Each structure stands twice: as C-alpha cells, then as structure tokens.
DNA sequence: ATTTGACCTGGAGTGCACTCCAGGTCGTAG
DNA sequence: CTACGACCTGGAGTGCACTCCAGGTCAAAT
C-alpha cells in the first residue's frame, strides 16, 4: 500500500510539516512519488517512522537518529554500530525511568503533605487555620 | 548557612547563569545579598532549587514551575491549587514512565534481533553471511 | 598601588525541533 | 472552464531553556 502525506501524518502521529522536515534532514529516505509528483509513503516508510517516533519518545536527539538512519543505509556491515547505539539508548532509558521513579516518590510525599494540611485546615476551629507550612 | 552563587550552583547542579536566569524569570525569589552586593543563598533557597530541579526532571515546563512558585508566595490559601498542580504532574510522570517502559520493550526486541544476526553471521560458513536483514 | 578573581548588570546569542508562509502546480468536481 | 483542495518548494519564523558577552565593581593578595 501507499499513502498520501496526509494519511502518513495521520498514521504516524507526526505533522505533515514534520514529515517533510524529517526528509529534508535525512531522517527519512525520500519516499516514492505519484504521477503528479506528490509523495507516496510505503508501509516500510511508515514502519520506519513508527520506530523513529519511539526513539524520539525515549529522548534520543535528532542527531543520533540521523546517525542511526545513515548506518541503516550502509547495510549489514553497520549492524554492530547500530546495535551499540540501541544498547546505549536502552541504558539511558532505564536510567531515565529510575530518575522519574524518584521524582514520583517526591511528588507523592509532597502531595501527601498537602493532603494533611487540608485535613488540618478542615479539622481545627475556624480562625486558627495557620499551621506549619 | 549562606552560600555564594558558585557554591549554590555546585550544590544545586545548576549553572551560575541558570541561577541568575531563574531569579530573573521569578522561579526563585531574589536571595539575600552580602555587604558587597553579591548573592547569598540560604538553605531554604537551596531546598527550593532542589525541588525545582526535580520538577524540571519530570519535564514540567518553566511556565508551570513559575505558576507553582507564584502560588507559593500567596501562602496557605493557594495550597489547594498547588496540590492540584502536583497531582497533575504526578499523573503525567506515571504516564511517561509507562510510555518509556514500552520503548524499552521495543529496544530490547530490536537489540535481540541484532544479537541474533551477529550469531548467524558468526555461525555460517564464511562467504555466505548475507541473511535476512 | 595594582593585579587578580569572583561577582555584578542588561542584553544578545545559541541549539533544538519543529512550524509557518508565500507563491506555485495538479487533478477532479460542478 | 474555472474553482477547489491537496499537494509542492525554499526559506523564514517560533518557543523553549538556557548560555554567553561586554563592561563594570569590589575585597583580598602581592
């Protein structure tokens, strides 16, 4: 199957402008064109865009995604380097998750504090609401 | 205790420029000054900076951090709104963690693929390395 | 007395990842 | 036949979060 840029945008969750932008910066190989010169994205293109958006979600900078994309074009010989990039990204994602877990704990602690303040404010005689902080 | 801007930067993990920047945009109340007019950060300032960096780590935009900072200045009456902001941020962090977990799974899958390719390349008779992809 | 180093200010510059725009070309629908 | 909507191009503009700079002050060290 092949898809218009509007359809590819819908399916990938990227904007039309972003699709053209990714092509310009060589994140995406130029897709086929129809007889009128309009882009016709293949299922492969969509698959690659799907993977790219995952990498983006992990916080990989475009620079690194470009490196990965460029390696992909160099075939099997580059597989080792590509794997290394993914392994490194995996590490950084795991680290990020741990970091966010820590933040979650702090947020829970703060939220619990506020909940306690609320209970106090509601529980004491009106006019003496000012407790600690 | 009070700390020079260099010391505050070291302890908060922010740069000196960022400390001044945060003050300018009202994320941080102007710290005390010493006799020579230089900033003298208090432990409270450091504590607030610590919390700010946690919020930043969760991906909270500066705009929202400013709102939180501004509410803090309005005392107890704003506690409800502050709690709501934190609850919302908690939700978004949990969501982000789940999303990253999903990406981790995809990375693992891809990495395992590459590992398999490596095993194949090493395992077959030399001269016939080209397998699938 | 002067040099050094940390700090000050207001403002300009940077890098990233888009996002928008003007002006133009197609192919179909009325 | 013309009007419309979807698409095209090269290039400029945007928002965010810093980061850097020039020119100046001040206190302690030489």
């Amino acid at each position: 199957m092949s898809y218009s840029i509007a359809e590819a945008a819908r399916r990938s969750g990227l904007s039309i402008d972003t699709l053209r932008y990714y092509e310009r910066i060589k994140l995406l190989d130029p897709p086929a064109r129809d007889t009128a010169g309009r882009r016709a994205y293949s299922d492969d293109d969509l698959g690659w865009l799907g993977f790219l958006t995952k990498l983006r979600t992990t916080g990989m900078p475009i620079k690194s995604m470009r490196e990965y994309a460029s390696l992909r074009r160099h075939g099997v010989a580059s597989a080792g380097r590509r794997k290394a990039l993914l392994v490194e990204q995996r590490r950084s994602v795991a680290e990020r998750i741990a970091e966010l877990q820590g933040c979650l704990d702090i947020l829970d602690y703060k939220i619990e504090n506020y909940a306690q303040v609320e209970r106090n404010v509601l529980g004491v005689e009106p006019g003496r609401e000012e407790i600690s902080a």
Side-chain angles (χ1 to χ4, degrees), chain A residues 52-106:
Chain A
L52 275 184
T53 61
K54 291 301 175 192
L55 289 181
R56 182 180 66 162
T57 297
T58 68
M60 183 183 277
I62 279 184
K63 208 173 173 194
S64 309
M65 292 198 274
R66 286 189 59 192
E67 182 180 355
Y68 189 89
S70 145
L71 287 170
R72 226 172 60 113
R73 279 179 221 107
H74 286 79
V76 169
S78 71
R81 177 84 185 107
R82 273 183 279 161
K83 184 186 167 204
L85 272 174
L86 296 191
V87 166
E88 164 57 15
Q89 194 61 15
R90 201 223 113 93
R91 203 200 46 70
S92 113
V93 172
E95 191 178 292
R96 180 108 184 93
I97 288 174
E99 192 178 47
L100 287 177
Q101 271 299 343
C103 291
L104 212 51
D105 294 344
I106 288 167

Side-chain angles (χ1 to χ4, degrees), chain A residues 25-63:
Chain A
I25 65 173
K26 301 194 196 309
L27 261 187
L28 180 63
D29 289 338
R33 297 291 178 128
D34 68 12
T35 50
R38 280 170 297 176
R39 288 171 182 80
Y41 293 86
S42 69
D43 284 306
D44 267 19
D45 292 332
L46 270 282
W48 171 239
L49 281 171
F51 184 54
L52 275 184
T53 61
K54 291 301 175 192
L55 289 181
R56 182 180 66 162
T57 297
T58 68
M60 183 183 277
I62 279 184
K63 208 173 173 194

